[in-house]
Amino acid sequence: MSNKNEENTRKSSAYSPTDVEDRTYAKWMDRGFFHGDPKSDKPPYSIVIPPPNVTDVLHLGHALNNTIQDILIRKHRLEGYEAVWIPGSDHAGIATQVIVQKKLVEEGTTRRELGREKFLERTHDWANKNKETILGQLKKIGCSCDWDRTRFTLDEGLSNAVAQVFKHLYDKGWIYRGHRIVNWCPSCQTSLSDDEVEHKDFDSSLWYIKYKIKGSDDYLTVATTRPETMLGDTALAVAPKDARFKKYVGKTVILPILEREIPIIADSYVDPEFGTGVVKVTPAHDPNDFEIGRRHDLEEINILNTDGSLNENAGKFKGMDRYKARKQLVEELQKKGQLDKIEKYELSAGTCYRCHKVIEPYLSEQWFVKMNELAQPAIDAVKTGQIKFHPDYWSKTYLHWMENIRDWCISRQLWWGHRIPVWYAEDGTMFVSVDRPTAEACPGYDPETLVQDPDVLDTWFSSWLWPFSTMGWPDKTEELEKFYPTKVLSTASEIIFLWVARMVMAGYEFMGNLPFTDVYIHGTVRDANGIKMSKSLGNGINPLEIINKYGADSLRMSTVLATPDGQDPWISKNTFEIGRNFINKLHQVSRFVMMRLDGRTPEINNVNDSDLVLFDRWILSRLERTIQAVDKAFNEFKLSNASKLLYNFVWNDYCSWYIELIKPDQPGTPIRPGSIDVATYTLVQILKLLHPFVPFVTDNIYLELLALTENNKEETIQFSGWPKTDGKHIDNELEQSLEQIQAVVTAVRSARSELNVHPSKQSDLYIRVNDAAFGELLEKHKDYFRSLARVENLFVGTEIKRPPLSASAVISGAEIFIPLEGLIDIEVEKKRLEKELDNLKNQLIKLSKKLANADFLARAPQEVIDKEKTKKDDYQERIEKLNKNLEQILGW
């Protein structure tokens, strides 16, 4: 065993993630550690990855979300679950087609010149190359996905599932085709669902147009933000009870420019208090006008081509771009005296979520899904708690959308995607079929002459099936039997409607069960100034750059630590130094423990309770309390809190205190055997607790420790078991006592450090305590102060006088004095006291405001309020003592 120890001590003390991570991941892959076995007797735990678009490159949002999922998978794998995390990617219909089309233009051609089949081949080649790059990047982060089950939304199996779902819903009467107002992107030249439209504010205008009443010199004035659409007006409308305009109802006006006669109607939609009280009705270019038109049997006149230019219905403006036509039309209205005025107006306009161009409400024949019936089980699931959101407030957002749901426009005028499984005969007869209809399915028609619908389905129409289509549905598979429903969906808030809600609806409709039990919504990554990271702003951080510099473990730990549960993280490149420093700290303390084993076999699984000294019992108490707190944080989906608990335990309790306490006073002296056993046992528990967060370094240290034991057959930490606790080592009184000792040591260290006292120099220490019990505690453990605080002589009591020329510190329950004759710079000490006093005063001001806040007092539990009041009393006491000390030092 000693030879193995010597071999380990020769290893470099500096941790090099680049030497470890790629090699370790390759071994994990080779051993098949991530594969989920549907035949396993273990309880299942499954997650499906939110499939990244093939157009994506890895960004910090991906890094955060996939780290969260990997943490959950690795923890449950440690706990003994048959854990499977199914990866994959999304074909991203519009986004991918736009990119490939741009590439074709650069080559001097277009998709139509290329033809549909060749364009799809070209797009498949591009997508395949990109998706492999993206999945490779996820491996660099350390994602423990079951890569053998990688899926793509255009896979043959998933495509079959999509067609089956379309036919199922069509046969139920829940899919229909109709002329409706849709969101139309003239740039991408396709329809968009409501949830694919992003609203942005623009500086615009309100144009007040005058419509002359036929046979009269009177005019009705209408305000509009889209004057060019007046060319498609088929009525003016007023409120039925608006006395100002009642006499005009039933009459007609002459449409400016085109000189077309249109009626004046009364409709309850019109708000008499808004604008002039008169609205133009353009049924083909506004969803509300469309409904008015249907109620009054108005003509629907479309004035736009699919590219946003005006068509033959626009008269002399035919062929013009919509904005050029707007400009010329306004000029002509002015010349004719038919423009009353123009006002500045802030307009909220819908834009395409992909190209960000302003969309047009557009009358078009499209395919829709009726959503009301589908929505109800999904609403009930959240209301009854079968599905829980974390944080819970997102459930209100979900329910608000679901309870006001509209029919879903699912057709897209694209080539890249799942082609709609509908075939047409020359006479217009329509057949809905998963595959090309057989002769039996289309009697009287030749199947070969049928033409398939040229449109494709919305990308989300395949994504909403992801939790079960990835497991082989519609076939009955072992994977579905074992792993459906999944456990957790981790995602961002912006796709709650686009994806999360639809998956819930699909789960109940096609599987008869929810798709997952918990939805974890993480924050949106922002830069150091709080601005959302984006490619266009150039404020993003490339995760691969961070991995190359600091390692994947550092990226993961830093990102989770920096992301407050339920809030947006603010991240800069310096953020990742936190993780790097922590990984180095863990590596160094592990090296220390292994070197100080001195030939002993490391204690991996238990400790000898009969051979424990004070600080052994303390660290075991802190360990068990930390395990309990981390378990609670996981159960509440507070992963950032879990990471902070572990960070503090490792850095503070284990490294800064326990390891320092067990070091012998004399260099080269062995550490007490019982304590090195506790140190090793605690280190192993730390590695297991940290493994979900930092898998690479923990796996390697664990295997190095195993190599020093007789039983070293394990190949990874991943199945070694999550730490458990029965609480037997928890000692509240001991922890409270040690907190008091730590407070004294920390205060002494801080004072010495600020005064630049050399660490090798010892000094006496005087402590004036408020009560005798505190003094007895310090006397009892005075030996620990010699090494931890470099104390030569300790004087403790309630009547201790401050020595002349001494540094001072105030802690809860005591004043501390350090004689510094010959070492002190009086001016420096004066400034230090003033700084500490200012800090305490600022803290007191903030706390006083908090306690004066009625909202805080109404919402906070009483124990929290009482704790804050106690803290305020403590601040006031410490300020008073500091003022006295400052007065004294001014007399030196």
Side-chain angles (χ1 to χ4, degrees):
M1 295 303 297
S2 60
N3 289 336
K4 289 181 179 179
N5 272 306
E6 290 169 9
E7 181 182 340
N8 276 283
T9 59
R10 287 197 299 268
K11 293 182 179 179
S12 171
S13 59
Y15 180 65
S16 175
T18 53
D19 293 342
V20 170
E21 293 179 352
D22 288 344
R23 168 173 46 84
T24 300
Y25 199 89
K27 183 191 77 174
W28 291 339
M29 292 281 287
D30 184 58
R31 300 292 196 278
F33 291 153
F34 307 154
H35 185 67
D37 181 5
K39 294 183 173 65
S40 169
D41 293 332
K42 296 178 182 178
Y45 186 89
S46 56
I47 295 176
V48 290
I49 198 171
N53 291 340
V54 292
T55 57
D56 282 338
V57 291
L58 193 68
H59 55 67
L60 272 184
H62 288 123
L64 171 61
N65 189 22
N66 287 288
T67 295
I68 287 167
Q69 293 170 79
D70 198 39
I71 288 169
L72 294 170
I73 280 288
R74 288 182 181 274
K75 177 179 184 287
H76 285 85
R77 197 176 283 135
L78 273 164
E79 287 184 312
Y81 286 84
E82 190 63 31
V84 63
W85 182 15
I86 298 178
S89 52
D90 193 292
H91 66 279
I94 296 176
T96 303
Q97 179 157 322
V98 166
I99 289 173
V100 177
Q101 284 178 178
K102 286 180 180 177
K103 290 182 179 294
L104 291 176
V105 171
E106 291 170 4
E107 296 169 12
T109 186
T110 67
R111 69 177 169 114
R112 298 199 181 278
E113 289 176 3
L114 203 61
R116 187 164 192 147
E117 293 308 313
K118 288 193 183 237
F119 176 79
L120 290 177
E121 286 177 16
R122 177 75 178 265
T123 310
H124 265 292
D125 290 343
W126 183 88
N128 287 336
K129 189 182 297 182
N130 242 43
K131 72 183 181 185
E132 290 306 315
T133 300
I134 293 162
L135 298 179
Q137 291 171 334
L138 293 176
K139 293 174 184 177
K140 287 289 288 183
I141 294 178
C143 295
S144 59
C145 298
D146 190 342
W147 299 107
D148 294 336
R149 291 193 166 92
T150 302
R151 306 306 298 268
F152 180 48
T153 49
L154 282 179
D155 283 351
E156 183 179 348
L158 273 68
S159 296
N160 176 55
V162 167
Q164 295 276 2
V165 163
F166 186 98
K167 188 171 190 316
H168 168 90
L169 294 175
Y170 180 82
D171 290 343
K172 289 185 76 167
W174 290 359
I175 281 184
Y176 65 94
R177 186 173 62 160
H179 279 86
R180 295 286 187 277
I181 292 288
V182 297
N183 304 300
W184 185 266
C185 176
S187 178
C188 299
Q189 293 196 38
T190 185
S191 61
L192 302 171
S193 70
D194 291 342
D195 310 303
E196 293 171 316
V197 176
E198 297 176 344
H199 288 271
K200 295 181 181 177
D201 292 333
F202 295 91
D203 290 330
S204 185
S205 299
L206 266 178
W207 289 269
Y208 288 78
I209 302 172
K210 295 158 68 177
Y211 291 69
K212 189 175 186 299
I213 297 171
K214 185 179 179 183
S216 168
D217 292 332
D218 292 341
Y219 287 86
L220 291 180
T221 302
V222 175
T224 179
T225 58
R226 298 158 66 216
E228 69 280 4
T229 63
M230 61 157 282
L231 300 171
D233 287 357
T234 54
L236 294 187
V238 298
K241 296 182 179 179
D242 193 332
R244 294 174 297 171
F245 306 114
K246 205 164 189 178
K247 62 183 178 179
Y248 297 120
V249 175
K251 295 185 178 183
T252 60
V253 294
I254 304 302
L255 180 66
I257 309 295
L258 294 183
E259 302 295 322
R260 192 171 68 241
E261 192 174 338
I262 59 175
I264 302 169
I265 61 174
D267 192 275
S268 57
Y269 168 76
V270 181
D271 180 359
E273 302 298 322
F274 181 77
T276 65
V278 183
V279 299
K280 58 193 283 300
V281 182
T282 320
H285 295 288
D286 184 275
N288 296 310
D289 292 5
F290 176 80
E291 297 300 332
I292 295 174
R294 288 293 169 102
R295 286 195 291 272
H296 296 270
D297 197 25
L298 298 177
E299 187 180 0
E300 297 164 350
I301 301 175
N302 178 10
I303 65 161
L304 291 175
N305 294 312
T306 57
D307 63 356
S309 64
L310 274 62
N311 63 23
E312 64 278 2
N313 292 326
K316 66 177 75 174
F317 302 101
K318 177 185 175 182
M320 288 186 189
D321 171 77
R322 52 182 166 161
Y323 297 120
K324 183 178 180 182
R326 175 183 294 180
K327 183 179 178 183
Q328 291 201 11
L329 182 140
V330 168
E331 288 175 357
E332 187 160 341
L333 288 171
Q334 287 175 318
K335 286 178 185 176
K336 292 189 172 187
Q338 292 174 311
L339 189 66
D340 185 47
K341 61 180 177 178
I342 303 173
E343 291 180 346
K344 289 183 179 179
Y345 186 74
E346 187 175 288
L347 175 68
S348 177
T351 62
C352 174
Y353 80 116
R354 282 301 174 191
C355 71
H356 308 297
K357 300 288 176 59
V358 175
I359 58 100
E360 288 287 343
Y362 186 78
L363 183 62
S364 175
E365 187 174 52
Q366 302 287 344
W367 288 94
F368 297 85
V369 179
K370 294 178 181 177
M371 301 302 287
N372 286 334
E373 294 287 342
L374 284 165
Q376 196 53 54
I379 292 171
D380 294 341
V382 172
K383 282 188 171 180
T384 59
Q386 295 173 66
I387 294 177
K388 293 183 174 65
F389 278 81
H390 310 276
D392 177 64
Y393 55 75
W394 286 112
S395 62
K396 294 181 180 138
T397 305
Y398 168 95
L399 288 171
H400 175 75
W401 183 77
M402 291 292 284
E403 289 169 347
N404 295 278
I405 199 166
R406 295 181 178 183
D407 287 357
W408 176 14
C409 176
I410 57 171
S411 47
R412 298 291 181 271
Q413 289 62 54
L414 303 169
W415 286 355
W416 176 246
H418 297 95
R419 198 162 172 180
I420 292 174
V422 175
W423 280 259
Y424 304 94
E426 286 185 8
D427 63 4
T429 302
M430 184 176 73
F431 302 93
V432 177
S433 176
V434 172
D435 300 304
R436 179 178 288 276
T438 62
E440 292 77 17
C442 56
Y445 297 92
D446 179 359
E448 295 305 315
T449 65
L450 301 181
V451 177
Q452 188 173 0
D453 195 307
D455 291 351
V456 300
L457 290 161
D458 180 8
T459 294
W460 301 102
F461 197 84
S462 54
S463 301
W464 76 323
L465 314 178
W466 190 250
F468 50 88
S469 65
T470 52
M471 298 186 196
W473 187 93
D475 295 334
K476 293 183 178 179
T477 65
E478 291 180 318
E479 285 79 9
L480 281 169
E481 182 69 26
K482 179 74 174 179
F483 296 115
Y484 188 90
T486 65
K487 300 301 181 184
V488 181
L489 177 76
S490 173
T491 190
S493 61
E494 53 261 33
I495 56 174
I496 289 177
F497 313 137
L498 285 167
W499 193 45
V500 178
R502 288 173 179 160
M503 281 191 290
V504 179
M505 289 186 273
Y508 279 105
E509 177 62 23
F510 303 110
M511 292 296 297
N513 200 354
L514 45 73
F516 32 72
T517 55
D518 295 275
V519 181
Y520 181 90
I521 303 294
H522 61 73
T524 299
V525 179
R526 300 181 180 277
D527 66 17
N529 298 312
I531 299 170
K532 181 179 177 180
M533 287 188 182
S534 73
K535 191 188 301 182
S536 60
L537 291 175
N539 64 343
I541 296 174
N542 183 351
L544 294 183
E545 179 186 334
I546 301 302
I547 291 172
N548 291 335
K549 185 173 182 180
Y550 297 124
D553 282 338
S554 297
L555 171 79
R556 293 165 64 111
M557 192 69 179
S558 301
T559 307
V560 177
L561 281 169
T563 305
D565 295 304
Q567 299 177 43
D568 294 346
W570 291 24
I571 294 178
S572 69
K573 287 190 176 180
N574 292 338
T575 301
F576 302 98
E577 294 178 5
I578 299 170
R580 179 205 57 190
N581 294 342
F582 180 75
I583 301 301
N584 284 339
K585 189 80 167 178
L586 180 64
H587 174 76
Q588 289 163 3
V589 77
S590 302
R591 299 259 73 72
F592 172 82
V593 170
M594 284 188 273
M595 285 192 303
R596 299 311 295 265
L597 283 168
D598 295 319
R600 292 173 55 82
T601 299
E603 187 50 69
I604 301 292
N605 297 316
N606 49 61
V607 292
N608 182 359
D609 287 349
S610 64
D611 187 22
L612 302 176
V613 294
L614 175 77
F615 279 100
D616 297 334
R617 290 190 290 110
W618 172 77
I619 196 62
L620 291 173
S621 180
R622 291 293 305 128
L623 172 63
E624 292 205 13
R625 194 179 298 281
T626 299
I627 293 170
Q628 290 181 350
V630 168
D631 282 341
K632 183 175 184 290
F634 266 106
N635 291 337
E636 296 173 351
F637 287 88
K638 295 180 178 177
L639 304 192
S640 182
N641 184 41
S643 70
K644 288 170 184 172
L645 288 165
L646 291 171
Y647 180 96
N648 290 331
F649 175 74
V650 173
W651 193 287
N652 298 326
D653 294 342
Y654 187 69
C655 295
S656 296
W657 290 102
Y658 181 67
I659 293 298
E660 292 302 313
L661 284 163
I662 66 172
K663 286 179 181 178
D665 290 335
Q666 299 300 320
T669 305
I671 294 175
R672 196 185 75 85
S675 293
I676 197 63
D677 282 348
V678 170
T680 310
Y681 167 79
T682 304
L683 176 60
V684 170
Q685 308 315 303
I686 285 171
L687 296 174
K688 292 179 179 183
L689 291 165
L690 279 174
H691 177 71
F693 299 89
V694 286
F696 292 104
V697 67
T698 51
D699 195 74
N700 276 269
I701 295 171
Y702 182 75
L703 293 180
E704 285 184 33
L705 278 166
L706 279 187
L708 303 177
T709 69
E710 300 296 340
N711 182 21
N712 56 8
K713 295 178 182 178
E714 288 182 64
E715 294 184 285
T716 179
I717 195 174
Q718 295 180 63
F719 308 103
S720 61
W722 182 254
K724 295 180 180 178
T725 171
D726 56 9
K728 71 174 184 178
H729 288 119
I730 291 180
D731 188 329
N732 293 328
E733 186 177 341
L734 176 62
E735 287 190 40
Q736 289 171 4
S737 297
L738 265 293
E739 281 179 17
Q740 292 177 301
I741 293 173
Q742 287 172 327
V744 173
V745 171
T746 300
V748 174
R749 285 175 170 175
S750 296
R752 288 172 57 96
S753 174
E754 289 178 20
L755 291 166
N756 294 316
V757 176
H758 196 278
S760 64
K761 294 185 177 295
Q762 290 188 319
S763 64
D764 291 343
L765 179 62
Y766 292 76
I767 305 175
R768 182 163 64 216
V769 293
N770 290 356
D771 62 81
F774 190 7
E776 291 172 8
L777 172 70
L778 298 178
E779 281 285 358
K780 182 179 179 182
H781 302 296
K782 62 183 179 181
D783 288 344
Y784 292 112
F785 292 103
R786 287 193 172 86
S787 59
L788 292 175
R790 307 302 297 161
V791 171
E792 188 168 5
N793 298 299
L794 177 67
F795 304 93
V796 181
T798 56
E799 303 297 327
I800 289 289
K801 303 294 184 185
R802 177 174 183 168
L805 199 59
S806 60
S808 65
V810 180
I811 64 170
S812 181
E815 291 175 86
I816 297 168
F817 309 110
I818 308 167
L820 294 168
E821 188 172 359
L823 300 175
I824 184 74
D825 185 320
I826 295 177
E827 195 59 34
V828 169
E829 172 63 4
K830 174 176 169 286
K831 288 179 180 179
R832 188 187 69 78
L833 285 172
E834 289 173 340
K835 180 180 177 182
E836 188 174 350
L837 189 58
D838 286 342
N839 180 53
L840 276 173
K841 285 179 178 177
N842 288 332
Q843 293 290 341
L844 181 60
I845 290 169
K846 289 178 184 177
L847 191 56
S848 297
K849 287 181 179 178
K850 188 176 184 180
L851 287 168
N853 186 319
D855 188 51
F856 168 75
L857 295 174
R859 291 173 178 268
Q862 188 58 47
E863 61 267 24
V864 172
I865 296 172
D866 292 342
K867 185 177 179 180
E868 295 298 279
K869 287 181 177 178
T870 301
K871 192 188 293 184
K872 180 182 178 182
D873 293 339
D874 184 52
Y875 283 165
Q876 290 171 329
E877 181 185 346
R878 289 162 67 183
I879 287 171
E880 185 180 341
K881 289 178 179 177
L882 280 172
N883 277 321
K884 288 181 180 178
N885 288 339
L886 191 57
E887 289 173 9
Q888 289 179 3
I889 200 173
L890 291 174
W892 286 2

